[in-house]
Amino acid sequence: MNADDAEAGAGRTVYRIHWLPGTDRLHASCFCGAEQEFEDPVVLWDWLLGHPEGHRPRPAAEHGSPVPAAALA
């Protein structure tokens, strides 16, 4: 866990966007645990900021970490 993760646990909203090397795709992770890949950064931000519309967190077993409490509320 790094400093950013500690702040997320304190109730801060954290979004993560990763470029997938060798592609034109972006991988977005929402604070609720939902993840999705996009080609268009505008569509990506619409999805992230439109929370919770379209957000379906993956089950904990699928991505190896527990679903954050915010996703269960």
Side-chain angles (χ1 to χ4, degrees), residues 8-39:
R12 294 201 44 193
T13 301
V14 176
Y15 303 108
R16 289 187 173 83
I17 300 170
H18 301 277
W19 168 62
L20 302 173
T23 72
D24 290 336
R25 301 201 49 85
L26 299 167
H27 180 90
S29 299
C30 182
F31 64 90
C32 74
E35 298 178 342
Q36 191 165 331
E37 289 184 15
F38 298 87
E39 289 186 17

Side-chain angles (χ1 to χ4, degrees), residues 54-69:
H55 289 224
R56 305 243 189 286
R58 292 191 287 176
E62 188 174 331
H63 59 82
S65 62
V67 176

